[in-house]
Amino acid sequence: MRNSDWSKDNHRSKKKTVKALGRLFKYMSQHYFGVMIIVLAATFFSTFAGVRGALFLQTVVDDFVLPALGTVIMDASGITILETPGVFDAAGMIREIMVMALIYAGGAVATFLLYFLMVRVSGGIQRMIRDDLFKKMQTLPINYFDGQLHGDLMSKVTHDVDAMRGMLSQSLPEIIRALFTLVVTFVGMVMLSLSLTAVVVVAVLIQVCMAKWVTGKSKAGFISSAKAMGEMNGYIEEMLAGHKVVKVFAQEEKVKAEFDLLNEELTDHLRTANRFSNMLFPLLIAMGQALYGFIALVGGILVLNPNSALTVGAVASFLYLSRTFVHPIGQISVQINAIIKALAASDRIFDTLDEASEIDEGTVTLEQSKGHVVFKDVTFGYQDETLVLRGISFEAKPGQKVAIIGKTGAGKTTISNLVSRFYDIRSGQITLDGHDIQTLTKTSLRQHMGMVLQDTRLFTGTIADNIKYGRPDATRNEIKLAAKLARAHDFIERLPKGYDTVITDNGGSLSVGQCQLLGIARVLMMEPAVVVLDEATANVDTLTEARVQEGFKVLMESRTSLVIAHRLSTIKDADLILVVDKGQIIEQGTHEGLLATGGSYASMYQKSVG
Amino acid sequence: MLRLIRFEGSDGLLKQLFRYVGVYKKESIRAIVTVLFEIGLEMSIPLLMAMVIDRGVATQDRGNIFLFGGLMILAAMTALILGTRSGRDSALASAGFAKNLRQVMFHQAQDFSHENMDEFSRSSLVSRMTTDVTNVQMMYQVAFLRVLVRSPLMVLVSFMIVLTMNPWLAFIFLFAVPPLGLIMFVFITKAHDIYKKIFKHYDHLNNVVSENLSAIRVVKANGTAGSEVKKFTKITEDLYTDFVKAESLLALNMPIAQATIYACILVISFLGARSVVSGEMLTGELMSILTYTFQMLMGVMLLSFGVTLYVSARPAIARILEVIHADVTLVSKENAVTTVKDGSLVFDQVYFKYHQDEKFVLEGINLSIPHGAKVGMIGASGASKTTLVSLLSRLYDVTEGSVQIGGVDVREYELKALRRAVSVVLQKNVLFSGSIRDNLLFGNVHATDEALIRVCEVAGAMEFIEQLPAGFETRIDELGTNLSGGQKQRLCIARALLARPKVLVLDDSTSAVDVKTESDIFAGFDQFNSDATVIVISARVSSIKDMDMIIVVDDHHIDGVGTHDELLACSTIYRQIYEMQQEMEVDVAHEE
């Protein structure tokens, strides 16, 4: 259902991947610099121990085994001319073994240290990035959320961060290890035999080319499968949220079919990605085996060549080293694959972290507010679209009640959203107590604003937690007082656990009206100077509605209020009525004043009074 | 030890899981068989190497060096072809397997009743279908199709070969390999327990993120970003602590395995050297034994890696199977009735409660509504009006008594047929992302453009759709956040009308619509689909006072049934509501 400019994305992806890697390193060096130094040192020692062990083989064969076998010199016809008996230097060998055992023990300890520390580094960075992501989310402007599938965002916080951690805890240490092994092994091989080293280098170059080809093939697949995964996530999330609607229309089959399409698409991407990445490992192993054979062959011939200084022991060590040399190449390729996958995920994370935060250029903190709100010639439009509001000007003096009326979609809700700066205006000015609201810090501005919207969002937690949401330090008595004022106390008391009843799933077990009463109590706790109310008490029965109305009245007392009004009594009582149509205020005044002018309000009123 | 037995014994899980490999069994088997051949070829290579040394180098026979060396390269190349093929097959198989799992789970979730949905939370279902399936896919591909096939074989074959070369040296492995395996196993099972906790943390994490996404305005309005972040960081802290615990255990595996390999190499070097000196063994054989030692212990490590993968995926497997095996509590009967004759409704001594150990929320409901009647329903919130109408389309089943439509018990109908015939416009309604057209067609996929326009006119939605630049093609954001409440309600009504139901239920679905539009909509119903039975639940007496019949619901039972005038005379509750609303002058002066 969603399009994207894929080609453009691809174009930038390489540059971005490198950038993402750089940023990860920044996280690491900032927080774990010392630890990473120890990790590097441990890695080095751990690989050194392995290579030193391979060289030990040569000592065993050339210094202990072969001398012990003795030498037999034959003439051309195969008759023995001279036979020296062998001597097995057991004590010498045990000495060598002890030295080797010490090195090995050090190697094992280093390996432990390396893993032990890396677990902490990767876990720590995972946690930091996840926290940063969530903190970022909190600072993003509302319109960012308007255009995003929630499931997609969720998959960033969970999936993508996990993929990244996998890279840090596994891929990265493996790669460091592999690089060290390569260098140390190479030195060891050169020491043993230059010509055999040349053979290995050629073989390795071939391997690297093959690995590159394969990873290139799978990379695109991984990037597109991360995207497809996000899309599918979004779909699942949405359809489960709308589960009842699907049931009611018996559209399960249609939904299933749509899901199957997305699922098939994702599977295709995964297949391509994994098909190539899976080829890599066997490819490298087999190449390593072939190399092993080749070394045995070439080494054997060279040992027989009287001009060559190569010994059987050196060949043995070399064979062993070729294993440790090829293994890291495989590791690097496999891990590069994982890293690419993880970097695709990191890209998505950093993209979100790079989104422009809600701008808060405000510097003024308003401790107390009288609640004096003025709109001066305000225009507003969402992003690139046309203007939604034009030339909105009105004044709400402290304590006044302003009723906003008009058709659905006329812009009533938009006006109310602007006061709290959920969206920023294009031109004109909104002031609170004479301060342009753009000069106030958002925290300070919103602290003085209370909102009760049609659909009240509650959080998992107890009823008490939800009421004291904006003032976590409130006492139980304060909570009860607010609930009583909001007329929510009665129903709360009737719940099995009263104020300690746990709400889940946005108040799933409560009625809409009850949720709204909690919403009113929540705002009362904050004691804001200005309240914004939407009077449309959707889906509420008369008794609850009466309570909500009472709650609203309490809320509006001695406060400036902007009410999206639906009720004649509210409208009549208002100090100022704004009649909104097509994004403009077409009339404003008091009930009597407007009736006297005989405009559209008057005719509207006449019609309704009948 | 007890723990281990339990662990081994619980493998019914895998058997159940692998059923969903389905048609991808063929690829799976092919992948495994090719791995077997691949490993066989690989294992022959050190043996051939011994030949090169002992029959070639030692005897100065160049021919043998070329012969065995050539064979080594040939074996390696064949293994390469087999290995890449197996890699491809396992990719296909595991991606297909994951697809099947996601499909089965999602389809199952679609068939879930509300009761089922309440059981699993939504965020948990989402993470089961995504994160968990991905984990299982990885586990299947890496552990089952490769590592767990390869590594035991590597260990076994290496051991056998060393055994034939030098039984005494092979004996050493018996001291090294089983303890190593056991230690790894214990660590892994310990870590597994911690992983279970980690999954719980993930559910919390998902829930907090999801809640914050949908309530972002509340968070901003209250300036509580700080405490939300605190809530979140508490979870990430727990996650961190447990991750580190689990992974530290697993991190011990590597150095322990390394120490074991090293010890074996040193001991074998010494004993092997002595055997060669005493003539029991050849130099090349010693070299290949060391290679096999290396491979065997690599095999053990790989095995532990495979088992780790499996163990850490186990909770995911269990969570997936929980969804798949959940009993769908509401299903169609066999040989169910597929057509609903008409829209007459009967409630016969209906009792209902949501959970067994709770109180009844509907008690002794008796109602009879003739076909085509226009019925209003009113009563305090919490009086169970929504529950009452939910029984009509079998969103829940009655606890006692029966509900009949068209003279047939609703449980006798095929669910799909029943729900096609009964359209409910829900109180908490939802639109999906997609165009307005997509959303409307949800009511009836086969509807023509004329039908779309017609229902939108009836529902009073045409006026605002026409004003939108893209008309029916206008995109609706997820959950319809870019429409006003009244616009959403009108679209929902249009969507329900499109299904041309025999029974139409509007559960407080016009609350955000002004009175005039509402009465226009009701009048439109009559013309549009005059023979449908319509039930309107409303809080406003004005909305329903002209209906053929009004039902007053109070405190889980029916308080009265009759026309407006009758009820004013005989129902105190109805009269109260009416009088209260007269005073409040509900909803008169907006919109028009």
Side-chain angles (χ1 to χ4, degrees), chain B residues 473-494:
Chain B
E473 310 310 325
T474 308
R475 279 192 57 81
I476 296 176
D477 286 347
E478 188 180 10
L479 307 181
T481 43
N482 59 349
L483 290 177
S484 78
Q487 288 171 334
K488 269 194 269 186
Q489 285 188 339
R490 281 180 267 177
L491 283 182
C492 289
I493 294 171

Side-chain angles (χ1 to χ4, degrees), chain A residues 111 162 238 408 460 469 541, chain B residues 202 211 228 258 381 433 484:
Chain A
T111 310
D162 282 344
E238 191 180 1
T408 319
T460 305
Y469 186 75
D541 70 277
Chain B
Y202 266 105
E211 244 171 36
E228 289 302 322
Q258 245 181 16
S381 116
S433 57
S484 78

Side-chain angles (χ1 to χ4, degrees), chain A residues 86-260:
Chain A
V87 191
F88 181 49
D89 179 9
M93 190 168 176
I94 286 176
R95 219 172 28 246
E96 281 291 328
I97 284 180
M98 292 316 253
V99 173
M100 200 54 232
L102 269 179
I103 297 175
Y104 271 157
V109 170
T111 310
F112 170 72
L113 203 64
L114 152 73
Y115 280 90
F116 182 83
L117 292 176
M118 261 335 267
V119 165
R120 278 152 183 81
V121 173
S122 64
I125 288 180
Q126 171 191 39
R127 180 177 159 192
M128 270 185 267
I129 288 190
R130 199 167 256 157
D131 289 351
D132 285 354
L133 203 52
F134 189 79
K135 283 178 201 156
K136 181 71 192 193
M137 225 175 81
Q138 296 292 352
T139 70
L140 288 171
I142 292 287
N143 48 30
Y144 177 81
F145 297 94
D146 291 347
Q148 289 273 329
L149 282 178
H150 290 173
D152 198 37
L153 269 171
M154 286 194 51
S155 113
K156 283 182 189 168
V157 182
T158 53
H159 250 99
D160 292 346
V161 177
D162 282 344
M164 208 174 63
R165 190 194 75 97
M167 172 178 101
L168 291 179
S169 74
Q170 279 162 16
S171 312
L172 200 71
E174 288 302 338
I175 285 211
I176 297 176
R177 210 185 148 77
L179 285 175
F180 274 134
T181 313
L182 277 186
V183 174
V184 180
T185 311
F186 188 75
V187 172
M189 288 197 306
V190 170
M191 278 162 60
L192 287 170
S193 161
L194 264 179
S195 37
L196 284 183
T197 309
V199 171
V200 171
V201 168
V202 172
V204 162
L205 285 179
I206 297 174
Q207 279 192 352
V208 170
C209 289
M210 288 172 98
K212 221 177 149 185
W213 178 76
V214 172
T215 40
K217 286 271 180 192
S218 62
K219 183 181 161 178
F222 279 124
I223 295 177
S224 50
S225 48
K227 221 180 119 66
M229 182 63 103
E231 241 169 72
M232 204 190 58
N233 229 343
Y235 188 80
I236 295 177
E237 175 89 8
E238 191 180 1
M239 283 309 147
L240 292 182
H243 189 252
K244 275 198 182 180
V245 177
V246 177
K247 292 263 118 170
V248 158
F249 289 104
Q251 288 296 347
E252 291 93 333
E253 297 313 317
K254 176 176 181 265
V255 171
K256 284 176 190 173
E258 272 176 17
F259 172 83
D260 288 352

Side-chain angles (χ1 to χ4, degrees), chain A residues 404-407 410 568 571 577-582 584-609, chain B residues 588-592:
Chain A
I404 309 174
I405 61 175
K407 283 188 187 172
L568 197 53
I571 298 167
I577 301 168
L578 307 178
V579 185
V580 184
D581 189 38
K582 295 187 182 121
Q584 281 173 304
I585 297 179
I586 51 169
E587 277 174 39
Q588 59 176 299
T590 59
H591 176 68
E592 288 75 21
L594 287 176
L595 278 189
T597 48
S600 70
Y601 176 79
S603 67
M604 202 189 296
Y605 177 73
Q606 296 309 339
K607 223 192 274 175
S608 63
V609 178
Chain B
V588 232
H590 72 296
E591 304 233 6
E592 288 315 308

